[in-house]
Amino acid sequence: MEKLQVHFLGGSGTVTGSKFYLHTAEIKILVDCGLFQGVKELREQNWERLPIDVSEIDYVLLTHGHLDHCGYLPLLVRQGFRGKILGTPPTLEIARIILEDSAKIQEEEADKANKEEYSKHHPALPLYTKEDAAFTLNFFEHVEEGKKVSLSDRCDATFLYNGHIIGSTYIEIDLFGKRLVFSGDVGRQVDELLDPPKQPKWADYLFVESTYGDRQHPDEDVGQILTNLIKETLYKKGTLIIPSFAVERLQSLMYQLWKLYKKNRIPNIPIFVDSPMGNNVLEVFKNFPNWHKLTIEEYHNMCNHITLVSSYAETWETIDDPRPKIVIAGSGMVTGGRVLTYIKQLGDMETTSILIVGFQAEETRGRKLLEGATELKIYGKYVPIKAKVNHLESLSAHADQGELLTWMGAIKNIPEKVFLVHGEKDAMETYKDKIHEKLGWNCHIPMMHEVVEILL
């Protein structure tokens, strides 16, 4: 028998910072390498060295390119990692865009904090720099979806389409005759832009996300909700601000708004997309047409209908534009990016509406808005919030409880153990009970930094 140690270094008891370290005598693998977001105690861990010998890691396997799955990579490299970082071609392209943008934002925010002296750190430093991010790209190596990759004599990995965002996969690791399945973030069964997720057929050990393990997405008429909000914005002669993740959510919103206009359900209201990273992601959609449903004609028509904001000067021009308008800007949880400038300048106006879409981690500004916050701390100062806050859950890129059970339902065997990860405590506890009720499987909810030993 061979001994495997699984170190839960992130995405355990929380939705962010996914990092799962597989340690054997033959091979050492890190599945995902994400940044923590949200709760301060978690974010502070981004500044700490990992409690493992990083130089021993042979491979990092990326399920997809979101920040909470790839954003720690430059720090991993700084700590001595010199192995290979594997992902599908669109995943590595998304990861490149996200790492470069993350480094740029961190440098800018550190510089702003030093100039305006609102940080308790003197000087305030970026978590990592653009140079760190650029150096990390040297270790990227793409793999084809569905093709088995040999990692060592007795270890193979296969990356399989699972929706969620462009390039996203779940990963099957065949190790010493056993199969470990890492779900990554499972996408929706019905999605405007993406196909339904593929499903694993066998799993000796299953590591499954549980972001929405405690709920079903509401059966909302997205088009009607957007139409009503836009009509209200026109009536108030105000601004509809939509904080958005740059990958998938932003493109999905663009597509929804373009369809509504094309069907004459909304007038030709100015729509601004202010997310340099999101604009770069649009190029990924263009370059990888086999990974999504948009035709090249639809892609160009959608882009031509919307104004893409690039420079920060254009951000201020958009804010000063007196016309009723829609602004989609990053970041999706209001943790950074240009949406902060819009909310800082327009959030105290009753003519402004804010539409929150998708999951909001604990203690993020997005979660605080949903919980009824009347002020937000932005760039060291408190900004009053008089804007009307709305929530649209059904545009989430994450499978809900029923969809997760459907995804797992194709597994023909009974896994020896199911590990629930990438979820908040209540969601995981509820999902654990539901799995036991529906499938009778043995589930475990690992804690942060827990080490589980498995004999294979």
Side-chain angles (χ1 to χ4, degrees), residues 346-364:
L346 303 174
D348 65 343
M349 298 181 182
E350 293 180 354
T351 55
T352 298
S353 295
I354 300 172
L355 176 61
I356 301 293
V357 292
F359 185 81
Q360 305 295 309
E362 291 180 294
E363 291 195 23
T364 58

Side-chain angles (χ1 to χ4, degrees), residues 376-396:
L376 289 181
K377 191 175 184 180
I378 298 176
Y379 300 137
K381 297 178 181 178
Y382 283 94
V383 176
I385 300 297
K386 296 179 183 177
K388 179 182 176 184
V389 178
N390 305 272
H391 191 201
L392 184 55
E393 290 187 71
S394 54
L395 271 184
S396 173

Side-chain angles (χ1 to χ4, degrees), residues 287-314:
N287 294 334
F288 295 98
N290 295 331
W291 279 85
H292 60 84
K293 296 178 183 178
L294 281 180
T295 67
I296 193 67
E297 182 181 13
E298 286 175 320
Y299 169 85
H300 284 300
N301 288 340
M302 177 181 78
C303 291
N304 289 337
H305 178 65
I306 290 164
T307 301
L308 301 179
V309 176
S310 54
S311 71
Y312 201 51
E314 290 176 307

Side-chain angles (χ1 to χ4, degrees), residues 9 19 30 32-33 49-50 52-55 57 59-60 71-85 128 136:
L9 302 176
K19 300 180 201 73
L30 187 65
D32 284 333
C33 190
R49 292 181 67 88
L50 293 183
I52 58 173
D53 186 347
V54 166
S55 66
I57 301 173
Y59 294 94
V60 177
Y72 193 85
L73 283 171
L75 297 168
L76 194 77
V77 171
R78 188 192 289 170
Q79 291 170 34
F81 171 77
R82 291 299 181 269
K84 294 179 179 179
I85 300 168
Y128 51 81
T136 301

